[in-house]
Amino acid sequence: MSEQGPLLSIAGIEVMYARLALVLRGLTLRVPRGGIVALLGANGAGKTTTMKAVANLLRSERGEVTRGAIHYDGARIDGLDASDLARRGLSLVMEGRHAFGTLSVEDNLKVGAFSRRDRGVGDSLDMVYRYFPRLKDRRLQAAGLLSGGEQQMCVIGRALMARPRMILLDEPSMGLAPLLVEEIFSIMRQLNVDEGMTFLLAEQNAAVALRYATYGYLVESGRVVREGPAAALAADPEIRASYLGLDASAEAGSATLAARRRPRWLS
Ligand SMILES: Nc1ncnc2c1ncn2[C@@H]1O[C@H](COP(=O)(O)OP(=O)(O)OP(=O)(O)O)[C@@H](O)[C@H]1O
Ligand SMILES: [Mg+2]
């Protein structure tokens, strides 16, 4: 496998649902090894569809990739199922925290090791508990009784149990209080620094995503409309005005201009 190229490369993909709705229109992005890349965009921009295209989860929704290519670690991954992908080190944490509510936290975590045939599952459990001590405290509790933030930790922990090199993380901040969002994002950064784990992070919350990401892509109607290093995107006046709630022109003394200049991706 190529050691040089990006770990994940999505090249000009189109995705259609039910042979009718063209939702991704030639979307291209790259995730370097060891990077944290943010996929930003408003409701319905196509972030989750992108994640599902990579994880090959579109078929159950009558969706398909009709053009373009997806490579992971130098090889095309079309048609591989979740356990093939997990064995290659790619895990997805879906939007909406799907923990198994009646199973204990620990059993939820063990489910994440389903594709492994080695004997290191106990070590991985220890690692998850080291990163998420709250889960250790609640390990015998039914996952359905956890708070929203703890459930998010539980599903990330479950993904870690497959010992991934890369995690696709869809909207981890959704519905969580700001302090918990910071806690979860800083654990993601710790995993990135300590374990060399690579992340593709879909987020509506651009402010927090750009603080933790190395690079970002802004998606509008299934296409990338802006990309750049996270710091450059965070300093971009249009992104500041429309995504970060900061009125760049007001800072320059011209508030009305910014109020009138409605960015394309909000129309
Ligand atoms: N199963 C489906 N069948 C038809 N259209 C769909 C399906 N799933 C999603 N879509 C449409 O595809 C578009 C992109 O949806 P997607 O869920 O990828 O957006 P998103 O960027 O993740 O949005 P959000 O921030 O709300 O999660 C939307 O217009 C949505 O209505
Ligand atoms: Mg989504």
Side-chain angles (χ1 to χ4, degrees), residues 48 95 170-171:
T48 297
E95 188 178 45
D170 195 359
E171 216 82 61

Side-chain angles (χ1 to χ4, degrees), residues 17 21 23 41-50 61 95 171 174 204:
Y17 285 113
V23 164
N43 274 137
K47 304 181 296 297
T48 297
T49 301
T50 303
E61 300 191 32
E95 188 178 45
E171 216 82 61
M174 194 193 282
Q204 281 195 33

